[in-house]
Amino acid sequence: MDHFHIRDGVLHAEDLPLPAIAEAVGTPVYVYSRATLTRHARVFRDALGVLPDKRIAFAVKSNPNLAVLRVLAAEGYGADVVSVGEMERALAAGIPAEGIVFSGVGKTAAELARALEAGIGQFNLESEEEGLELAEIAVGLDKIAAVALRVNPDVDAGTHGKISTGKAENKFGVPFDRAAAIYARLASTPGLQVRGLAIHIGSQLSSLAPLEAAFTKIGGLMRAIRAGGHAVTHMDLGGGVGVPYKAGEVFPQPEDYAAMVARVTADWGVTLMFEPGRVITGNTGVLVTQVVRVKEGVGAPWVVVDAAMNDLVRPAMYDAWHDFEAVRPDGETFVANVVGPICESSDTFAMGRTIDRMKRGDLAVFRTAGAYGATMANTYNSRPLVPEVMVDGEKWAVVADRIEPATILAAERVPEWLA
Ligand code: LLP
């Protein structure tokens, strides 16, 4: 459920008509609904209420906007970060250091040191090598690093190959059959407090079955590690719960997910940790764009919009579907191809799709763009970095400026020896 609705023939974000934002800020622009964000944060948190002891760390990568993080901080969320840049954002938004989990396969020594100094709650180690390096840095700083070992369970998440992370051939975690030995080695390494296991098998999962298989597998590993005499007090089950992108698609609900977790983990006796991203932020945003022109095509017309793959890369990168709707639909539809202005064919949002009839100058939105939207934007083709707006009832604010090409150009220089 979200708070983007047609009212008096015009698409609104909460109580605000989207044309008002387009006029004031220009397009393309991401628009987030605070009520939708808060609602999703609460629904997920409340669903997990059936579990005795849990912590939720929002996957910052899905939407790192400071205002978004601020809303989630107020809802009691921690943060799952994968760089010091994300960590600094989480701290700036008021998320306590203790609630921050540092994931990621390539944390640098400098990042590990900075995170130790900040006093974050947990490091999710991706390798034995990383653990030994962290231990050395921690000893040097006279700190103890609380860590979980990320295990690769070799389970097929059944999602797009580019966002699958839990198969043996993926770069993430330590191999399942080596995990117990690595756990034991790290547990006896000064500077580390090894407290559990972590897992994350992929993103945009449409079924709970692979998650259940992975959790069951890692639960067995937990028992084996305990049988070897080591403590396991924290189990991080990652993120990955998918959301519908097409009207009518049915996805597992947070309550179904929580019930499955409760069943699988009933006798684990640990603090459970979660790293949801998309399920919290996906539906909270739309990308507002304007039709530049409609160009005649073979078979179907090309609707050329002013948003491009640099603003929303998911269709180009993962063949992802985003519903595309007119801001002022008149009830008529046509079959069209929706593309951006960038000079490559991958800058295509939809082919041969039945959409609201549109003409030059019309406003439209890509739906479900709150997760992995603005955060993946870039400036390819020397385009601006797309701005972000948050709406709260009738109030709204620009929560990230449009970064103009001139600003980026100003950071470049021609060396003297080329002058
Ligand atoms: N935890 C870890 C360790 C992760 O790598 C991820 C996502 C998450 C949690 C959050 O997953 P979620 O709940 O959002 O599925 N750019 C892609 C998605 C990449 C996901 C990367 N990792 C997309 O646009 O579909």
Side-chain angles (χ1 to χ4, degrees):
M1 209 210 82
D2 62 58
H3 294 265
F4 297 94
H5 292 298
I6 298 280
R7 196 187 287 172
D8 303 326
V10 182
L11 188 60
H12 284 58
E14 304 192 16
D15 298 325
L16 198 83
L18 288 177
I21 295 173
E23 196 171 309
V25 184
T27 53
V29 56
Y30 279 91
V31 177
Y32 306 131
S33 151
R34 180 195 174 163
T36 311
L37 178 59
T38 306
R39 179 172 188 282
H40 283 273
R42 290 183 184 166
V43 165
F44 191 81
R45 190 187 60 204
D46 293 351
L48 294 186
V50 298
L51 304 167
D53 184 7
K54 69 268 161 187
R55 295 187 196 165
I56 313 178
F58 169 66
V60 171
K61 65 169 80 70
S62 78
N63 191 325
N65 181 275
L66 194 58
V68 167
L69 296 181
R70 181 80 201 124
V71 170
L72 294 175
E75 294 299 322
Y77 274 63
D80 166 52
V81 305
V82 292
S83 68
V84 154
E86 286 191 350
M87 182 189 80
E88 302 293 3
R89 283 174 173 274
L91 292 171
I95 292 174
E98 171 54 33
I100 297 180
V101 176
F102 197 169
S103 304
V105 80
K107 309 175 197 78
T108 65
E111 286 185 307
L112 293 172
R114 171 70 194 106
L116 275 169
E117 273 158 4
I120 67 158
Q122 180 171 302
F123 294 81
N124 284 356
L125 301 176
E126 295 265 354
S127 64
E128 181 174 0
E129 295 83 350
E130 183 192 349
L132 296 175
E133 195 171 330
L134 175 63
E136 203 179 304
I137 297 168
V139 168
L141 293 172
D142 201 18
K143 307 243 184 223
I144 304 279
V147 304
L149 183 63
R150 180 164 177 184
V151 178
N152 187 319
D154 196 21
V155 168
D156 187 350
T159 184
H160 192 281
K162 286 187 182 162
I163 50 177
S164 289
T165 51
K167 286 288 288 169
E169 64 263 30
N170 299 132
K171 67 180 173 179
F172 300 97
V174 301
F176 188 82
D177 52 7
R178 294 220 47 231
I182 295 173
Y183 197 99
R185 165 121 199 253
L186 294 178
S188 65
T189 304
L192 300 183
Q193 184 222 335
V194 183
R195 65 184 197 179
L197 300 171
I199 198 169
H200 173 77
I201 62 170
S203 196
Q204 184 55 5
L205 272 68
S206 55
S207 152
L208 295 176
L211 289 168
E212 178 160 358
F215 298 165
T216 304
K217 207 167 166 184
I218 201 181
L221 179 61
M222 174 195 75
R223 281 185 265 274
I225 289 171
R226 281 180 174 160
H230 298 285
V232 181
T233 57
H234 291 69
M235 294 288 278
D236 185 336
L237 301 183
V241 178
V243 302
Y245 279 89
K246 270 185 208 175
E249 277 180 342
V250 180
F251 270 71
Q253 295 299 300
E255 313 84 72
D256 308 330
Y257 173 74
M260 180 274 284
V261 171
R263 192 172 67 246
V264 175
T265 65
D267 64 350
W268 284 16
V270 295
T271 299
L272 290 173
M273 301 169 75
F274 298 90
E275 302 171 351
R278 190 187 320 259
V279 72
I280 307 295
T281 49
N283 269 317
T284 65
V286 297
L287 174 59
V288 184
T289 186
Q290 188 169 35
V291 177
V292 177
R293 67 181 58 85
V294 179
K295 168 183 142 146
E296 196 184 325
V298 182
W302 302 98
V303 173
V304 186
V305 296
D306 66 359
M309 64 187 282
N310 72 299
D311 305 305
L312 176 64
V313 77
R314 302 192 67 260
M317 201 157 169
Y318 316 111
D319 311 305
W321 176 290
H322 285 264
D323 277 345
F324 181 68
E325 294 167 10
V327 165
R328 288 193 178 89
D330 64 4
E332 298 292 316
T333 58
F334 70 152
V335 175
N337 308 320
V338 182
V339 297
I342 281 184
C343 300
E344 46 179 297
S345 297
S346 51
D347 189 22
T348 297
F349 292 110
M351 286 299 284
R353 200 190 284 184
T354 302
I355 58 170
D356 296 327
R357 184 173 286 280
M358 273 174 220
K359 58 178 189 317
R360 179 176 187 278
D362 285 353
L363 293 172
V365 295
F366 293 101
R367 287 262 192 176
T368 322
Y372 306 108
T375 179
M376 295 181 78
N378 59 70
T379 60
Y380 186 38
N381 275 209
S382 289
R383 290 168 51 83
L385 201 57
V386 63
E388 298 161 84
V389 161
M390 185 178 282
V391 175
D392 181 2
E394 286 183 339
K395 283 199 301 276
W396 66 278
V398 175
V399 293
D401 292 342
R402 185 186 313 281
I403 309 288
E404 296 293 350
T407 307
I408 294 164
L409 188 60
E412 297 177 21
R413 56 199 57 82
V414 177
E416 235 171 66
W417 40 265
L418 278 184

